[in-house]
Amino acid sequence: MEETFCYQYPRPAVTTDCVVFGFDGQEINVLLVERGSEPFKGKFALPGGFLEPNETLEECAQRELLEETGIDSINLRQFAVFSDLERDPRTRVISVMFYGLLAPKAMESDSIKSGSDAVSLKWLKLEHAMNNTSLAFDHKEAIVKAKEALALSLNREPVAFELLDQTFTIKQLQIIYETLLNIEFDRANFHKKMVGHPSATLKAKPTGRKKNSGVITDTGTVMKNTKHKPAKFYTFDSEKYSKLMEQKDFYFGF
Amino acid sequence: MEETFCYQYPRPAVTTDCVVFGFDGQEINVLLVERGSEPFKGKFALPGGFLEPNETLEECAQRELLEETGIDSINLRQFAVFSDLERDPRTRVISVMFYGLLAPKAMESDSIKSGSDAVSLKWLKLEHAMNNTSLAFDHKEAIVKAKEALALSLNREPVAFELLDQTFTIKQLQIIYETLLNIEFDRANFHKKMVGHPSATLKAKPTGRKKNSGVITDTGTVMKNTKHKPAKFYTFDSEKYSKLMEQKDFYFGF
DNA sequence: ACAAAAGTGTTTGGAATACACCCATGC
DNA sequence: GCATGGGTGTATTCCAAACACTTTTGT
């Protein structure tokens, strides 16, 4: 069956690709798949594939991700379109790029495995992925851009918590912010920003409106088997976050 | 000549569309072109058109804008891709959206005129464009999204000044910020944020490092024929802005 | 006891807010 | 003179940075 599809004007092929960031508790990683066919056979690339006629770009990205990596129900955000003429040696291809986030448990889940094409999967440290010149296509630049896009939304939305399990330590949260923003934060101040000012500011004066703007709360449980004082586990309080966002002067970011 | 282009797999048609914001000194407008052919013949739409095989998306957007409106050398930023299955009645079309900015002088320039297709041009107030249900395709939503994207970059980059001539009044700058962010600012405080703290804060104490973070400077000229105290003209000091941006704690936004 | 990492407190200057006041123009 | 809108000053409040101190674990 040598079926062909003909049009009055030339059309580019359209693909979607996904940058999946996974946090393992220590650092941020990027999911890559080994290519089983040319071009770039044997090289690692972002999961993705060609748009089908009956699906939107978002649906295409979800479908390709499920087929190639087993990842289901992940929130994908579109962040760029790559359209250089020579970016694919086969034919003219423009690619719409998405990124998604996985928390430690989801990242280490058994359901993430290579798809039917029997290509292999690999998690690469974000830092290394951004400098890896052997990635297929322009996927290295895609990863760099995805990180930038993620860093921007970090200052407008509580996306960091999509990289964390239900409960997490402040240290983990801080690693995410520091990695993405390329900034080092003072531990004490970061704590106050996230949890809220515990006593000092609150007992000051009950005159003006107070903004104890903490968006994470203590769960009561602590980490086990640490070589030092055990870290508390916290959770993201989305209701509190929503309330704070309604205030026009609330800014959640750095 | 009934030339056709055939491929092994189905491909969508790809277009670019541009949301051109123009500031006339009083308010922000959006440039629309009247469609000369079906679908949506006679309706107003964003300037744009089909991607050609030998150009990138950016080049396509620039070319279509020049062809249809005469606008040349404008900085275009990609902000979304629309891919709903039914967004174009003819065939499957996905559209990559860009926005660009024009200052009063450029907006009123004679070189902006309808292109070869003899379709007419129209500037619509941004406020009206965002509520205009008779626009072609999904272009109303595109305008809304473009405004949101522009509002976001307003807090990271000095894009507001691309909507202003070389010299401008603080009032004009404030209108732009207020329109895009849907916030009303205190006149005096807005002034200080942009120009810098003139005396009060500076003469306070010469102990710590001072941050007289003004990014616009007085030009010496003033507005003529006003019914009140004439407003000064200011310019954006890009060098000062760059220096401030190098400081890690500098935030230019609201 | 010590090291290491988590958590808390305190001081301080800068910045945002709210608002009062002064200035320059046309009428 | 007055109205109008531009420009400046200032007190208050609040946040964020810097940094010292305390707590809890393992060795």
Side-chain angles (χ1 to χ4, degrees):
Chain A
M1 47 171 270
E2 272 292 321
E3 194 181 6
T4 56
F5 299 85
C6 301
Y7 310 100
Q8 217 174 335
Y9 296 98
R11 297 183 175 191
V14 175
T15 67
T16 63
D17 292 298
C18 288
V19 180
V20 178
F21 295 105
F23 183 64
D24 59 17
Q26 259 77 50
E27 52 195 348
I28 298 178
N29 305 273
V30 175
L31 184 60
L32 298 169
V33 300
E34 188 180 350
R35 288 188 56 83
S37 51
E38 293 296 343
F40 297 104
K41 184 171 181 173
K43 300 275 186 185
F44 280 87
L46 296 171
F50 288 93
L51 178 71
E52 297 192 348
N54 59 339
E55 65 186 0
T56 65
L57 291 163
E58 288 74 15
E59 289 161 354
C60 173
Q62 293 280 3
R63 176 182 54 74
E64 288 287 349
L65 201 54
L66 181 59
E67 286 176 10
E68 295 188 356
T69 71
I71 293 174
D72 200 356
S73 68
I74 182 176
N75 192 5
L76 294 178
R77 295 174 171 87
Q78 184 192 298
F79 68 91
V81 186
F82 283 38
S83 67
D84 276 1
L85 297 179
E86 309 293 341
R87 61 180 298 280
D88 190 312
R90 291 168 292 184
T91 178
R92 180 72 198 283
V93 178
I94 73 173
S95 182
V96 180
M97 299 288 178
F98 292 80
Y99 71 84
L101 306 171
L102 286 182
K105 275 180 189 158
M107 176 181 163
E108 283 148 20
S109 154
D110 293 340
S111 60
I112 298 185
K113 48 177 179 278
S114 56
S116 47
D117 298 356
V119 291
S120 73
L121 288 188
K122 165 166 94 171
W123 285 102
L124 208 59
K125 292 177 186 180
L126 172 56
E127 190 194 343
H128 293 159
M130 290 198 301
N131 295 316
N132 190 322
T133 52
S134 68
L135 296 187
F137 306 104
D138 43 17
H139 288 183
K140 193 190 79 166
E141 293 92 88
I143 292 169
V144 172
K145 273 208 168 188
K147 186 208 172 193
E148 288 170 3
L150 176 54
L152 284 176
S153 52
L154 208 57
N155 284 336
R156 313 192 299 266
E157 294 176 83
V159 279
F161 304 104
E162 290 188 39
L163 279 169
L164 293 165
D165 290 323
Q166 185 78 43
T167 68
F168 51 86
T169 65
I170 294 187
K171 172 76 173 173
Q172 291 174 333
L173 184 59
Q174 187 170 347
I175 289 173
I176 290 173
Y177 272 87
E178 290 184 337
T179 305
L180 295 176
L181 299 177
N182 289 319
I183 297 176
E184 299 213 331
F185 294 104
D186 179 276
R187 209 168 41 80
N189 295 331
F190 188 83
H191 185 286
K192 278 194 282 265
K193 172 114 181 174
M194 291 298 167
V195 181
H197 298 220
S199 62
T201 314
L202 283 176
K203 78 182 172 199
K205 264 184 276 180
T207 58
R209 67 262 153 79
K210 277 285 152 292
K211 296 208 279 180
N212 183 15
S213 335
V215 294
I216 66 176
T217 52
D218 193 339
T219 63
T221 56
V222 296
M223 205 167 226
K224 298 288 182 190
N225 303 323
T226 56
K227 300 205 281 193
H228 45 78
K229 177 173 178 179
K232 293 181 183 173
F233 283 118
Y234 293 82
T235 51
F236 172 59
D237 188 338
S238 59
E239 290 183 15
K240 198 165 178 189
Y241 177 82
S242 304
K243 276 181 204 156
L244 287 167
M245 280 307 284
E246 290 170 9
Q247 299 172 18
K248 70 165 184 180
D249 58 345
F250 176 69
Y251 177 71
F252 185 69
F254 290 93
Chain B
M1 49 169 269
E2 271 293 320
E3 194 183 5
T4 57
F5 300 86
C6 299
Y7 310 101
Q8 218 175 334
Y9 296 99
R11 296 185 175 192
V14 174
T15 67
T16 63
D17 292 296
C18 287
V19 180
V20 178
F21 295 104
F23 184 63
D24 59 17
Q26 260 77 50
E27 51 195 349
I28 298 178
N29 305 273
V30 175
L31 184 59
L32 298 170
V33 300
E34 187 181 349
R35 287 187 57 82
S37 52
E38 294 294 346
F40 299 102
K41 184 170 180 174
K43 300 273 186 188
F44 280 87
L46 296 171
F50 289 92
L51 179 71
E52 297 193 348
N54 59 340
E55 65 186 1
T56 66
L57 291 163
E58 287 74 15
E59 288 161 354
C60 173
Q62 294 278 3
R63 176 182 54 75
E64 288 286 349
L65 202 53
L66 182 59
E67 286 176 10
E68 296 188 355
T69 71
I71 293 174
D72 202 356
S73 68
I74 183 176
N75 192 4
L76 293 178
R77 295 175 170 87
Q78 184 192 299
F79 69 90
V81 186
F82 283 38
S83 68
D84 276 1
L85 297 179
E86 309 293 341
R87 61 180 298 280
D88 191 312
R90 291 167 293 186
T91 178
R92 179 73 198 283
V93 177
I94 73 173
S95 181
V96 180
M97 299 288 177
F98 292 80
Y99 72 84
L101 306 171
L102 286 183
K105 274 180 190 158
M107 177 181 163
E108 283 147 19
S109 154
D110 292 339
S111 59
I112 299 186
K113 48 178 179 274
S114 55
S116 49
D117 299 355
V119 292
S120 72
L121 286 189
K122 165 167 95 171
W123 285 102
L124 208 57
K125 293 177 185 178
L126 172 56
E127 191 193 342
H128 293 159
M130 290 198 301
N131 295 316
N132 190 323
T133 53
S134 69
L135 296 187
F137 306 104
D138 43 16
H139 289 183
K140 193 190 79 167
E141 294 90 87
I143 293 169
V144 172
K145 273 208 170 187
K147 186 208 171 194
E148 289 170 4
L150 176 55
L152 284 175
S153 52
L154 208 58
N155 284 336
R156 313 193 298 268
E157 294 175 83
V159 280
F161 304 104
E162 290 188 39
L163 280 169
L164 293 165
D165 291 322
Q166 186 78 42
T167 68
F168 52 85
T169 65
I170 294 187
K171 173 75 174 173
Q172 292 174 332
L173 185 59
Q174 188 171 345
I175 289 174
I176 291 172
Y177 273 87
E178 290 184 337
T179 305
L180 295 175
L181 298 177
N182 290 320
I183 298 176
E184 299 212 334
F185 294 104
D186 179 277
R187 205 168 42 83
N189 295 331
F190 188 84
H191 185 286
K192 276 195 285 264
K193 172 114 181 174
M194 291 298 167
V195 182
H197 298 221
S199 62
T201 315
L202 284 175
K203 78 180 172 199
K205 264 183 277 181
T207 57
R209 66 259 153 81
K210 278 284 154 291
K211 293 208 279 182
N212 183 15
S213 332
V215 294
I216 67 176
T217 51
D218 194 338
T219 62
T221 57
V222 296
M223 206 167 224
K224 298 289 183 188
N225 303 323
T226 56
K227 301 204 280 192
H228 45 79
K229 177 172 177 178
K232 293 181 183 172
F233 283 118
Y234 293 83
T235 51
F236 172 59
D237 188 338
S238 58
E239 289 183 15
K240 197 166 179 188
Y241 177 82
S242 304
K243 275 181 203 156
L244 287 167
M245 281 308 284
E246 288 168 11
Q247 299 173 18
K248 69 165 183 177
D249 59 345
F250 177 68
Y251 176 70
F252 185 68
F254 290 94

